Amino acid sequence: MAIKGSLSEANLPDVIQLLSFSLKSGCLSVTDGRNFGNIFIKEGKIVYATLLNRKDRLGDVLLKKGIIDESMLKQALEEQRTKSKRLGEILVEKGFITQEILAQELTNQITETIFTMLTWESGYFNFEADLLPGPGEFLVQLSPQQVLLEGARRIDEWRKIENKLPPFETVLVVKSETQGVPLTLEEEKVLSLIDGTRTIDDILKLSEFDFFETCRTIYGLISAGLVEKPKKTLIEKKTVGDITEYKNLGFAFLKTEMYEEAEREFKKILEIDPNNVEALLYQGLIELRRKNYDRAKEYLTRADSIEKRPSILNNLGYLYLLTDEVELALKFLTQAKESAPDNPKVNCNLGIAHYKNGELDKAREILSQVIEKKPELLTPHIYLSVILVKIATIRGGKEEVDEAINFLKTCINRFPRNEIFKNNLAVLYEAIDLPEEAERSYRQALEDAPNDYFVLKNLADFYYESQILGAARELYEKIPEEKRDWEVLFKLGNIYMRQGDTEEALNNWQKAKALNPEQEIITRNIEVLQKARGK
């Protein structure tokens, strides 16, 4: 079940309730454009939640509550550096806390994370079914209804604060007269983050306290007149944050196709480090997905000049495939293969490049090897099926034909709902003069994809060549008008003419001529028809 949309159209509590009542399992990803979070649900219960750009500070929370002291935290952190264990696990093993305390604190972290996301009124959500946390994560069993009820109470409190806080992009400065003013521990720690260059959003990211507590503290400091906006606009604002944090957030936005938000995060990295290879690579990928190929080349070429990574070379090769610069694609993909000889994406793209270069046997060899190692990948199957059909059609030998038919049947069994392979098998059957088998395969492909342009056109052409004009016309007319090329329009015109509808025949031929004015047969048909009609 695919569920995605805008938080302005469907609020987060409603989405969570829908998933809960439907007893769904999976990951609900949520973003407000600045932050990115995940809520994991299993059989309708909330089991885990994370905020990508908020660091979990279990040790600081336990320290603040007086459950552990600084020496205990120091010992646990030192051991964590040498062992691949979580901090909470180490604290329990050392006897500093009980398993029950750990469970309670981790549950609190998860609920606080969800409460933060419930305040987001704008942004996007996406539910991916059956995606659950890794085996090492601490899972809970929270009732969504109870969490949402408490969340509603928190949101009411938040609304009172929200309208009195400046925008999160506001930079705050400390007033000089704060010295000697008695402050709570929370106020002292939040005040220490205010340095005259950080925005409220920066402070929220750096604060060890949760979102609500930090906002309440900032509100209190502003209300008490201890902090304020700077009197003069800063010429340059310091970039705050960890490059890794920006990268993770940017990648999450990129994965969910939120390109503007992803671009913003990677540009933050490039402000700190203009030669950061990963940021340049991801910026290139963003432009690639936007189909801004020239901009993509700039970023990827810059990244390649700094470091010869297989991922950069592969994406450059793929980019040149898209722009039909096959020689350049082969150059970069060959370099990528030298660095990563077993990478399936590199080898798949290299096989496609050899195919586009007319080297059918070389392409067949490479793509066959990819499929042997990664039989679950769809793309190499698609291209290899096309290559084998071409080889069988060109060479016509029984061995080539049998190889193509057997491979296509394997693809159909492996990807039963994909119409491409049934369509390609039909094309092959038609080429080797097996019309009944061709028609059956086209019909099976059409059942899987009733509106697929290529299947509709191929089956319509099949009927047209077989002089089954009524069926051909029905299929041609199912192709949307904006997708009809000159051949479809020309053949439709011929069918209408044969069926006695001269007006529609002329209409379609004229449209065909507008798309291909050099095609003499179209002009001749129009002239003959107009002459017959006395025009």
Side-chain angles (χ1 to χ4, degrees), residues 288-519:
L288 188 59
R289 294 188 184 181
R290 288 171 169 167
K291 298 185 179 179
N292 296 333
Y293 296 144
D294 288 338
R295 288 288 292 153
K297 284 176 188 176
E298 288 177 22
Y299 280 116
L300 292 173
T301 303
R302 240 178 94 192
D304 180 56
S305 68
I306 298 167
E307 185 178 339
K308 297 285 184 185
R309 288 191 186 185
S311 55
I312 298 169
L313 294 165
N314 180 54
N315 281 292
L316 271 169
Y318 175 67
L319 174 57
Y320 284 116
L321 279 177
L322 293 176
T323 56
D324 290 324
E325 298 171 84
V326 180
E327 287 187 11
L328 282 170
L330 281 168
K331 170 190 165 185
F332 285 106
L333 291 168
T334 301
Q335 289 178 20
K337 183 174 174 63
E338 289 170 0
S339 301
D342 298 321
N343 186 298
K345 290 183 179 179
V346 171
N347 283 301
C348 184
N349 285 336
L350 185 58
I352 295 168
H354 281 296
Y355 160 65
K356 288 197 169 187
N357 204 38
E359 302 169 273
L360 298 183
D361 290 320
K362 184 68 175 174
R364 174 174 62 177
E365 178 188 352
I366 294 172
L367 291 171
S368 296
Q369 290 170 356
V370 174
I371 290 169
E372 186 179 347
K373 293 178 180 177
K374 288 282 184 178
E376 71 277 11
L377 295 180
L378 175 63
T379 302
H381 284 83
I382 292 173
Y383 277 93
L384 185 55
S385 71
V386 172
I387 290 165
L388 291 176
V389 169
K390 282 200 171 188
I391 290 174
T393 306
I394 294 167
R395 298 174 189 171
K398 184 178 184 306
E399 186 178 335
E400 287 86 0
V401 170
D402 288 346
E403 181 184 2
I405 290 173
N406 291 335
F407 179 73
L408 282 162
K409 287 181 176 179
T410 299
C411 292
I412 291 168
N413 289 331
R414 192 168 284 169
F415 306 100
R417 303 307 298 171
N418 195 304
E419 75 280 1
I420 291 173
F421 303 112
K422 292 164 189 161
N423 175 76
N424 291 352
L425 182 58
V427 170
L428 179 56
Y429 280 141
E430 193 176 352
I432 60 176
D433 199 24
L434 292 173
E436 290 183 6
E437 289 84 347
E439 182 185 15
R440 188 184 306 114
S441 289
Y442 279 135
R443 283 292 176 189
Q444 288 172 351
L446 208 57
E447 285 176 14
D448 293 336
N451 299 312
D452 186 279
Y453 165 77
F454 292 104
V455 180
L456 285 170
K457 185 177 184 300
N458 285 344
L459 183 54
D461 287 345
F462 171 81
Y463 284 133
Y464 181 86
E465 296 299 326
S466 304
Q467 292 298 297
I468 308 173
L469 299 184
R473 171 182 165 176
E474 181 184 345
L475 291 166
Y476 283 135
E477 287 178 340
K478 285 184 178 180
I479 299 173
E481 287 196 24
E482 65 274 11
K483 287 190 174 182
R484 296 177 189 175
D485 59 22
W486 77 268
E487 287 186 292
V488 169
L489 292 165
F490 175 68
K491 290 176 180 177
L492 258 177
N494 292 346
I495 293 171
Y496 285 124
M497 188 67 190
R498 290 278 297 275
Q499 294 178 338
D501 192 340
T502 57
E503 192 65 39
E504 276 301 312
L506 182 60
N507 180 37
N508 277 275
W509 284 341
Q510 286 174 336
K511 289 178 181 178
K513 184 178 179 180
L515 294 176
N516 190 355
E518 304 301 319
Q519 191 62 243

Side-chain angles (χ1 to χ4, degrees), residues 17 27 58 72 140 216 222 236 262 264 319 394 462 512 530:
Q17 293 233 48
C27 177
L58 176 65
M72 293 176 181
V140 296
R216 274 200 302 265
I222 293 172
E236 183 179 353
R264 181 192 63 218
L319 174 57
I394 294 167
F462 171 81
Q530 288 178 329

Side-chain angles (χ1 to χ4, degrees), residues 155-168:
I155 289 170
D156 286 341
E157 183 182 350
W158 161 243
R159 295 287 175 260
K160 297 172 185 176
I161 300 171
E162 181 186 26
N163 295 329
K164 297 175 184 177
L165 274 177
F168 282 6

Side-chain angles (χ1 to χ4, degrees), residues 36-51:
F36 194 97
N38 293 312
I39 300 173
F40 291 89
I41 296 170
K42 185 175 182 181
E43 297 174 355
K45 298 286 187 182
I46 294 172
V47 296
Y48 191 61
T50 62
L51 276 176

